[in-house]
Amino acid sequence: MFSIVPAAVANIQYLFRMLFHAKMTYLLLFYEFFKTGLFAVGGGLATLPFIYDIAVRYPEWINMNDISNMIAVSESTPGPMGVNMATFTGFTTAGVFGACLLYTSDAADEL
């Protein structure tokens, strides 16, 4: 059976990247980590496949070397590991505002 949902999600991501690359970085960051928090069930380590996918698609945000640092910092700080990884990525990408934004986006799906 054919499903058009993955194609639709890919088209939305392509639209964000091509039309609003410079201006919509915050919205795209929010979208990616909201999706991570929504579909990663099972704790912080369950978010790693999503984080690796983000690192491949957006190497300017985070690269493969940063993921090991992210895991170390997230494990050593108090709080949920997935939220800590989102905050780490937001801070390295967009500073304090990015950290607050990604903290909110990763935790917003639980509301």
Side-chain angles (χ1 to χ4, degrees), residues 21-100:
H21 181 67
K23 296 179 182 177
M24 301 297 281
T25 301
Y26 292 129
L27 182 61
L28 192 55
L29 277 166
F30 185 88
Y31 169 73
E32 288 293 333
F33 280 91
F34 181 78
K35 185 174 64 173
T36 299
L38 188 63
F39 294 116
V41 177
L45 293 177
T47 63
L48 284 178
F50 293 97
I51 301 292
Y52 282 123
D53 184 52
I54 291 170
V56 169
R57 287 186 290 129
Y58 305 104
E60 66 274 6
W61 291 354
I62 187 168
N63 58 35
M64 294 295 183
N65 294 331
D66 289 338
I67 292 177
S68 61
N69 294 334
M70 181 191 311
I71 292 170
V73 169
S74 298
E75 286 282 344
S76 63
T77 54
M81 187 176 169
V83 172
N84 290 341
M85 287 193 289
T87 306
F88 181 87
T89 304
F91 184 75
T92 57
T93 303
V96 175
F97 180 73
C100 294

